[in-house]
């Protein structure tokens, strides 16, 4: 069994392995719909990702700004999936603030 990570992985497979989307076909739909971008440009499902790529991922009403740290073409536990990327602090804080604003709007 090969335990080395591949040098490149298709975007749809990586998004599924990193658990941003529940199925690979859903990841592919989001890529075709322009919900995932690199440097402001929508990418295709067949785009090969490398470690160091910076992605903008729109999921529901949330925007994730992440850096690819490692590659995987197999889906594993959530704990391992979180090691594949690092979210920018500004992105995380903005998402948390927006989530809190929605919660407060719904409460009042």
């Amino acid at each position: 069994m090969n335990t080395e990570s591949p040098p490149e992985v298709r975007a749809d497979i990586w998004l599924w392995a990193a658990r941003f989307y529940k199925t690979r076909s859903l990841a592919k739909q989001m890529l075709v719909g322009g919900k995932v971008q690199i440097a402001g440009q929508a990418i295709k499902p067949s785009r090969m990702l490398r470690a160091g790529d910076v992605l903008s991922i729109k999921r529901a009403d949330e925007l994730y700004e992440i850096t690819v740290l490692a590659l995987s073409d197999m889906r594993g536990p959530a704990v391992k999936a979180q090691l594949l990327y690092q979210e920018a602090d500004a992105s995380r804080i903005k998402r948390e603030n927006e989530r809190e604003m929605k919660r407060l709007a719904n409460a009042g």
Side-chain angles (χ1 to χ4, degrees), residues 6 18 22 24 27 37 53 57 73 88 108:
K22 194 170 189 169
R24 183 174 166 200
Q37 301 178 347
D53 285 344
I57 302 171
D73 55 3

Side-chain angles (χ1 to χ4, degrees), residues 2-11 13-14 17 48-52 68-74 84:
N2 188 4
T3 58
E4 289 183 27
S5 66
E8 296 180 326
V9 174
R10 284 177 52 113
I13 295 173
W14 187 86
M48 299 304 277
L49 295 181
R50 296 177 185 94
V68 176
L69 297 178
L71 300 173
S72 177
D73 55 3
M74 295 186 337
L84 297 177

Side-chain angles (χ1 to χ4, degrees), residues 42-86:
I43 60 174
K44 295 181 180 180
S46 61
R47 165 75 188 260
M48 299 304 277
L49 295 181
R50 296 177 185 94
D53 285 344
V54 178
L55 304 176
S56 298
I57 302 171
K58 179 120 172 129
R59 194 173 76 174
D61 291 333
E62 299 180 330
L63 180 65
Y64 295 82
E65 297 285 339
I66 63 152
T67 302
V68 176
L69 297 178
L71 300 173
S72 177
D73 55 3
M74 295 186 337
R75 190 171 172 105
V79 175
K80 287 189 177 183
Q82 290 173 348
L83 299 175
L84 297 177
Y85 62 90
Q86 180 179 16

